[in-house]
Amino acid sequence: MPSTSAHRLAGEVDVLAFDIFGTVVDWHGSIAREIAALHPQVDADAFALAWREGYRPAMARVMSGELGWTLIDDLHRMILDAILPRFGLGHLDEAARRQLNRAWHRLAPWPDVVEGLQRLKRRYTICTLSNGNLGLLTNMAKRAGLPWDCVLSAEVFRAYKPDPATYLGVAKVFDLPPQRVMLVAAHHDDLAGARACGLRTAYVEREIEFGARRPKDVSPQPGNDLHSRDLLDLADQLGC
C-alpha cells in the first residue's frame, strides 16, 4: 500500500516528467543485443559501454560552447564514428553507420514500464524530459508502445539537463509552479538538478542499467520525495 506521505504527495503533483535513457529504456541491453546480432565477433557489452561513455563529454562540448547546438542523434553519430575503429568496425559504410546509429531509436523498455506508465497516466499527465531529440523519443515511443501525453526534450529548450531551463521548462509548458511537477529518474544527479529548481523527485531503481556484470548502488538517498523499485511500485505509491 502507498505510504501516508505518498498519498499526500499524490494530490500535490500534476505532471510526471520522465528521464528516458536507463530509467524508462534499457539502453545497455538494447545496444548490446543489436551489436551481437550484427557483429558477433565484437564484444557487445564493451561496445555499448564505450558508446554511452562518450555521451557526457560530447554534451559538455555543446554546453561549453565548443560546439553549437547539436542533437543527440548527431552526438551519438560522432561518438560512433570515433569508436568503430577500436572494435574493428572502421570499414562500415555510411548506410551501415546510419542504421546502427538509429539503434538509439529502438531501445527496449524495462519490463515494468508500459504497464506502469499506463497506470500513472490515469491520474497524471506523463511526459518525457530527456536529452534525446524529439524524433528519437517519438520513434522510440511508437515502437515500444510508450503512452506519453507529451514528448518534451532538450531540443525544445535548446539546453541539456541539468540546465535549469529543462526542468523549469516543463513547468512552463504546463503553466504550473515547479512543485507541481515531479521528475522520475534512475540518476541522482538528474534528480538533484530538478530538486534545485523546486521540482518533486522520485528515484527508480535500475540496478542493471550498465549490464548485469556492473550492478549499480540503488540505495535510497536523502532529498528524494519517493524511492521506488520500478514504475509499478511508483504507481502503487502514488495511488494509481
Side-chain angles (χ1 to χ4, degrees):
M1 291 294 291
S3 69
T4 302
S5 61
H7 271 306
R8 171 191 57 75
L9 195 61
E12 297 178 3
V13 171
D14 300 302
V15 173
L16 303 179
F18 290 78
D19 172 64
I20 300 302
F21 299 120
T23 301
V24 170
V25 293
D26 175 13
W27 62 264
H28 178 274
S30 300
I31 296 295
R33 283 190 293 273
E34 289 227 14
I35 291 297
L38 290 169
H39 306 286
Q41 77 280 11
V42 171
D43 183 336
D45 172 72
F47 190 97
L49 291 171
W51 203 352
R52 183 65 174 175
E53 282 168 3
Y55 177 72
R56 286 183 184 273
M59 284 195 302
R61 295 178 63 193
V62 175
M63 291 187 284
S64 71
E66 179 186 344
L67 289 176
W69 176 253
T70 308
L71 299 182
I72 286 292
D73 268 344
D74 296 326
L75 293 181
H76 279 154
R77 176 59 191 271
M78 290 167 50
I79 303 162
L80 177 64
D81 287 341
I83 68 171
L84 283 175
R86 192 192 321 170
F87 290 91
L89 297 175
H91 63 279
L92 293 185
D93 62 17
E94 176 61 20
R97 292 176 186 228
R98 283 179 59 84
Q99 174 64 10
L100 182 54
N101 199 52
R102 298 273 289 190
W104 294 93
H105 294 224
R106 299 187 290 270
L107 303 182
W110 296 106
D112 57 280
V113 161
V114 174
E115 181 184 350
L117 290 178
Q118 288 170 341
R119 285 175 56 189
L120 291 162
K121 182 184 172 81
R122 294 173 197 156
R123 182 165 187 167
Y124 302 95
T125 295
I126 60 171
C127 69
T128 64
L129 181 59
S130 172
N131 287 331
N133 46 284
L134 291 169
L136 181 159
L137 296 170
T138 303
N139 290 339
M140 178 194 294
K142 186 75 170 177
R143 183 176 185 275
L146 307 176
W148 305 119
D149 292 309
C150 179
V151 175
L152 293 177
S153 157
E155 182 181 354
V156 174
F157 309 115
R158 295 184 72 82
Y160 285 125
K161 294 187 293 181
D163 191 306
T166 58
Y167 308 114
L168 295 174
V170 178
K172 185 176 181 181
V173 163
F174 293 106
D175 192 24
L176 291 169
Q179 64 268 24
R180 302 293 303 187
V181 178
M182 174 178 280
L183 180 70
V184 182
H187 310 112
H188 286 296
D189 56 347
D190 196 3
L191 295 168
R195 198 160 49 247
C197 293
L199 276 67
R200 307 285 193 165
T201 56
Y203 180 75
V204 182
E205 296 180 3
R206 297 300 186 197
E207 187 176 10
I208 60 168
E209 177 183 355
F210 296 93
R213 289 187 286 174
R214 298 170 190 81
K216 283 169 48 176
D217 179 3
V218 294
S219 303
Q221 290 193 8
N224 292 320
D225 295 289
L226 297 174
H227 181 102
S228 59
R229 294 186 307 277
D230 56 25
L231 296 194
L232 297 174
D233 182 32
L234 183 63
D236 286 342
Q237 293 187 50
L238 288 173
C240 299

